[in-house]
Amino acid sequence: MDEVCLQSSFNKNMKDLDQLLTETKEAIKNIRTQNTLSHLPQDVTVEEIKSEMELLHGQSIMCCIQADNKKFDIVISPKNTRVSDLKRTIERQITMQMKRKGLSKQISWRHVWKSYWLSFDGIKLTNEKSLLSELGIESQCEITFVKRLKDKVRIK
């Protein structure tokens, strides 16, 4: 008897979950049709919607990232955001763009950060803990990838 009740309860929960999923997809579709958010991709994530809403309300800034003659925009919150947070945001954005384009190549972010600095206004962002606001990073700024040069160590 208990198995029948459990199965019935499970089926009801699955129907509720399916209904919630359908309603969520419909709500996202409605959000995307608004003029201010119509540029968002078909498979937009909740994080992307949140970032766009923060940008519209002046709570976030948009920065242009330049790497290998390619540019893309990212939205970041300037409050209490550190260089390490900026790097994670770049990782998520590039990975998401690659996934949307159907590219299955994996990027070794550890290798990227060992090989390149982020640079703003000619200043290398070497301290992971530096706040973006203290570095003067503001809306519409350009951040570039700069190749790291190896320090030559002399052995005596």
Side-chain angles (χ1 to χ4, degrees), residues 148-154:
R148 285 188 184 211
L149 300 175
K150 294 184 180 182
D151 295 327
K152 293 186 179 182
V153 179
R154 289 187 172 185

Side-chain angles (χ1 to χ4, degrees), residues 54-146:
E54 288 174 352
L55 185 63
L56 289 170
H57 291 104
Q59 298 167 344
S60 290
I61 60 173
M62 184 175 292
C63 292
C64 179
I65 305 295
Q66 182 174 352
D68 293 335
N69 297 324
K70 296 178 185 173
K71 291 185 178 185
F72 61 94
D73 294 327
I74 62 165
V75 177
I76 53 175
S77 173
K79 296 178 184 171
N80 299 323
T81 303
R82 301 185 180 283
V83 171
S84 59
D85 301 323
L86 174 62
K87 287 181 175 182
R88 300 298 87 74
T89 301
I90 291 170
E91 290 173 15
R92 281 193 308 273
Q93 288 287 328
I94 291 176
T95 302
M96 183 74 70
Q97 287 179 8
M98 289 178 63
K99 180 180 172 188
R100 287 184 176 136
K101 291 180 181 179
L103 301 174
S104 59
K105 184 178 179 183
Q106 294 289 324
I107 294 177
S108 169
W109 289 105
R110 185 175 184 193
H111 175 74
V112 169
W113 301 130
K114 278 185 167 184
S115 302
Y116 294 91
W117 293 111
L118 289 176
S119 174
F120 166 69
D121 208 22
I123 300 168
K124 294 176 186 170
L125 308 182
T126 58
N127 185 352
E128 297 272 325
K129 296 179 182 178
S130 294
L131 291 171
L132 299 184
S133 58
E134 291 174 354
L135 297 169
I137 295 176
E138 52 191 34
S139 193
Q140 305 303 318
C141 68
E142 188 171 293
I143 298 170
T144 57
F145 280 78
V146 177

